[in-house]
Amino acid sequence: MKNNSELHTSVRCNTAFKNTLKQPKVYIPLAIILFLCIAFWFCLPKPLFKRPTSYVIDDEQGQLLGAAIAADGQWRFPYDEAVPDKFKKCIIAFEDKRFRHHPGVDVLAFGRAIRQNLKSQKVSSGGSTLTMQVIRLATHHRRTIWNKMIEMVMALRLELTYSKEEILALYASNAPFGGNVIGLNAAAWRYYGRSSDKLSWGEMAAMAVLPNAPSLVHPGKNRKLLLKKRNLLLDKLAQKHIIDQSTAELSKLEPMPDKPLKLPQIAPHLLERFKAEHPPQSLFNTRIKTTLRAGLQEQVSAILERHHRILKANEINNLAAVVLDVETGKALAYAGNIFHPADEGLQSNVDVANAPRSPGSTLKPMLYAAMLHDGFILPNTLVPDIPTQIAGYHPENFDLGYDGAVPASRALARSLNVPAVKMLQKYKYERFYEVLKKMSITTLNQPADHYGLSLILGGCENTLWELTGAYASMARVLNHYNQNNRYSAADYHAPVYQAAPLNQPTEKNGLLDAGSIYYTFQAMEEVMRPGEEMLWQQFASTQRIAWKTGTSFGFRDGWAIGVTPKYVVGIWVGNTTGEGRPDLTGINTAAPVLFEIFRLLPVARDWFKAPVNAMVKIDVCKESGCRAGEYCEHIAQMWVPSGGLKSPVCPYHQLVHLDATRQWQVTTDCESPERMVHQKWFVLPPSMEYYYKARNYQYRTLPPFRSDCAVADKGQPIEIIYPKDDAKIYIPIEADGTRGRMICNAAHRQPGIKVFWHLDNQYLGVTHDYHQMALTAPPGKHILTLVDANGNTVKVRFTVLDKEKP
């Protein structure tokens, strides 16, 4: 019976307990408590501050380069966790002396505020802690008793997950400092013209009292009230032994801030670029430490301004400059343009350093290096320099003259256009297009066929930023190979202006080898500097620089890019409107700026070393610069890029058979072999020889064949220089309305021989020695035929276009 009684008692207890749980008096309070706990934990907004911030850029040492006002019209710098110790001590002493000890709400201060308000029968004291003020700044609550209670709860919550230092940083970054100035950092620059960590005790005390009533004590207004508050704070700091009495008295003598100052504008174009590359959704990270050096940036800008004053007389309004560190690719100076915001006609707000422009001849060194790398040429291989027309494209040298043939290195040093086009024709523009893409050139937005051979003469668009970066990559490859005897996949990358850049795309090793780059820089060093004598290299104080200029079609863009083992400097000169001007050439306008900027940079002790481990020694023909062939007479051993093993053998040397007098060529048909004199001879094609012999006195033309050797035919002795086969030609209309004439040129290997000219089987005339003929040809297709006195014949087909027809 006892067991049954215990059983019934247990059942009754369980039933009573279940009934109790079913009663709302128990679980409703539990639910409320749980709800309040959840509400308390999630009561803080995320993020705490959502208002837009100013875009701010600093140099590598943290010095302010420039800032742009926030989207809401406020000068509000991004959150900065580094709060100066002086401000911490000032603001705690002035606003919240028990800040370090309370949990977000100061009960003693709150009680004091209630007593004072009751006594005065008005709100004379708030009792808010710094933590509560951070909440008010974040939520914009109106000052009511209910909102004050909410702020107290949120302040307690803030203290749970934020440290005291973080709360001080939030306050310093978001407190109002009068007018449209928000945050200590912005206020320090607006009122004192320097960063907050460089403020004195008197200046920092003035900053600390401003947020208490920013509209009342705005600097420049109510100065006596601001002065009184600041001095009271200085006395309080002295009483607390934070500063000594003499420091307090001296600080009281410091002047108060006047009207707000303008912020620095040391790199305005980089600031605008930073804004453009970080859209509004990134507003919570709108401050960066750049790689620029403020001192160098200001010096570079000053140089641009000096040259601008000179160039403006020729209506050349804009200049840009970029200075890069070779090792890292970091920008040390970035002057996207001159800066005259008040003169809208100059369009100085345009960042030309990052704007696509025609590069002129600045891509020629890259083609030279690529051809060396792939074995198409050796450093001094002769390249044709003769009148050229390719599918209607007719390139000309800047001086409108021709050398016939010129070493590739010399063609680069002189920036000759025709040899460059001939080289690209041989290398193929499609291949060179891919090389440029792999060198981080992103402005080639059209397919390769769109540019064609004009690619090498500025028929595309590049930016000064990317072009300067490409040269820095080449120098970096050469430096690293000389240090490590190997290539790195990370050497080819775009330049950067941020101290902590994103990962850059890299090109696999082998794009351009060290030997090819070395010879490219050697050729670029041989250019005569503007305003200096030819023998400038003899002066020991002169810095060694590999440099290249460029001028776009129509004299619209002048370029100069210089390279040393440590630095790369790029200059652009022109008009943002694209207007061309006389004498707007790279050598006249950009090169002087280039060398003046280089004088600001430390002189490199060592020049680029020859990367012997990346090169091979081979026999080279002195006359042609090619690999020595069987009949090359003057041979020298030379270190060349390893790709040189694939380069062709000299095609210009041949074995010539002469008679005993050495005045005539002969064959076995007219002379017995034992009476022949066999001699090695350097022979260029007729068109190349025609111009080459006029500039090279040591060149010997081949003797003619003896008259009794009529059957001899050692290649075509006659060549039409202009027009070329399948050329398309416009013949202009003269002032009197008649159709003009075209001038045709030809070259013959035999001096003094007669050449007979025919157009469409109609005889035109005969020429001696100087073979040039002016002819009139109507629109349509034509055949030009030349026959020399020996019966040698050559023909070309060309088309004269009618301008009135599409």
Side-chain angles (χ1 to χ4, degrees), residues 699-713:
Y699 181 80
R700 296 181 302 156
T701 58
L702 275 175
F705 281 94
R706 208 166 61 191
S707 59
D708 57 340
C709 299
V711 297
D713 184 8

Side-chain angles (χ1 to χ4, degrees), residues 190-205:
R190 289 287 281 166
Y191 298 142
Y192 293 106
R194 56 184 180 276
S195 59
S196 59
D197 60 327
K198 293 181 174 60
L199 297 183
S200 65
W201 278 107
E203 293 166 340
M204 194 63 83

Side-chain angles (χ1 to χ4, degrees), residues 310-513:
I310 298 171
L311 294 170
K312 193 177 179 182
N314 190 25
E315 298 183 16
I316 301 173
N317 296 324
N318 306 102
L319 299 89
V322 172
V323 181
L324 300 182
D325 175 70
V326 167
E327 178 62 25
T328 61
K330 294 179 179 178
L332 306 180
Y334 186 105
N337 204 337
I338 57 166
F339 190 60
H340 295 265
D343 190 345
E344 296 182 359
L346 296 179
Q347 294 190 358
S348 62
N349 60 308
V350 178
D351 180 8
V352 194
N354 199 37
R357 306 288 298 196
S358 170
S361 299
T362 55
L363 300 181
K364 290 176 182 175
M366 300 172 190
L367 174 61
Y368 178 77
M371 294 191 73
L372 287 174
H373 173 78
D374 290 329
F376 283 83
I377 59 171
L378 296 182
N380 299 315
T381 295
L382 284 181
V383 182
D385 183 21
I386 57 177
T388 300
Q389 188 164 21
I390 305 169
Y393 179 54
H394 180 51
E396 291 183 327
N397 294 324
F398 189 78
D399 61 1
L400 301 180
Y402 302 95
D403 282 31
V406 62
S409 59
R410 193 67 189 148
L412 175 58
R414 293 172 54 193
S415 194
L416 298 176
N417 291 337
V418 174
V421 172
K422 287 287 190 180
M423 291 167 66
L424 184 58
Q425 184 183 25
K426 185 176 182 179
Y427 188 72
K428 304 303 181 185
Y429 61 79
E430 297 90 348
R431 182 187 288 112
F432 185 56
Y433 175 88
E434 293 301 324
V435 170
L436 295 177
K437 286 275 193 179
K438 293 176 181 178
M439 294 185 74
S440 299
I441 301 296
T442 65
T443 51
L444 301 176
N445 298 321
Q446 302 294 331
D449 289 338
H450 175 81
Y451 306 108
L453 294 175
S454 69
L455 182 66
I456 197 60
L457 299 184
C460 60
E461 291 186 329
N462 301 121
T463 66
L464 179 64
W465 176 251
E466 290 187 348
L467 207 53
T468 309
Y471 279 97
S473 293
M474 293 170 66
R476 190 160 46 247
V477 170
L478 183 52
N479 284 345
H480 288 174
Y481 187 86
N482 282 329
Q483 294 167 8
N484 308 315
N485 284 330
R486 60 185 179 84
Y487 297 100
S488 170
D491 284 340
Y492 287 100
H493 64 76
V496 295
Y497 62 83
Q498 290 184 243
L502 299 175
N503 293 329
Q504 296 287 339
T506 59
E507 168 59 27
K508 294 181 180 179
N509 56 320
L511 179 59
L512 295 176
D513 66 277

Side-chain angles (χ1 to χ4, degrees), residues 508-581:
K508 294 181 180 179
N509 56 320
L511 179 59
L512 295 176
D513 66 277
S516 300
I517 295 172
Y518 171 77
Y519 274 111
T520 301
F521 289 161
Q522 289 297 100
M524 291 170 62
E525 192 190 3
E526 298 301 319
V527 186
M528 186 180 71
R529 301 186 180 186
E532 301 184 15
E533 298 297 328
M534 282 292 290
L535 300 180
W536 62 267
Q537 299 97 327
Q538 294 183 3
F539 295 93
S541 61
T542 302
Q543 186 171 186
R544 297 183 68 179
I545 302 170
W547 62 293
K548 184 73 187 73
T549 60
T551 304
S552 68
F553 178 78
F555 301 100
R556 293 181 175 91
D557 307 89
W559 300 76
I561 296 179
V563 185
T564 69
K566 297 288 186 182
Y567 306 103
V568 179
V569 177
I571 308 295
W572 175 89
V573 178
N575 289 309
T576 56
T577 59
E579 179 186 0
R581 297 299 304 163

Side-chain angles (χ1 to χ4, degrees), residues 42-53:
F42 291 100
C43 65
L44 293 181
K46 289 187 178 181
L48 197 59
F49 291 91
K50 300 179 182 179
R51 288 178 291 279
T53 55

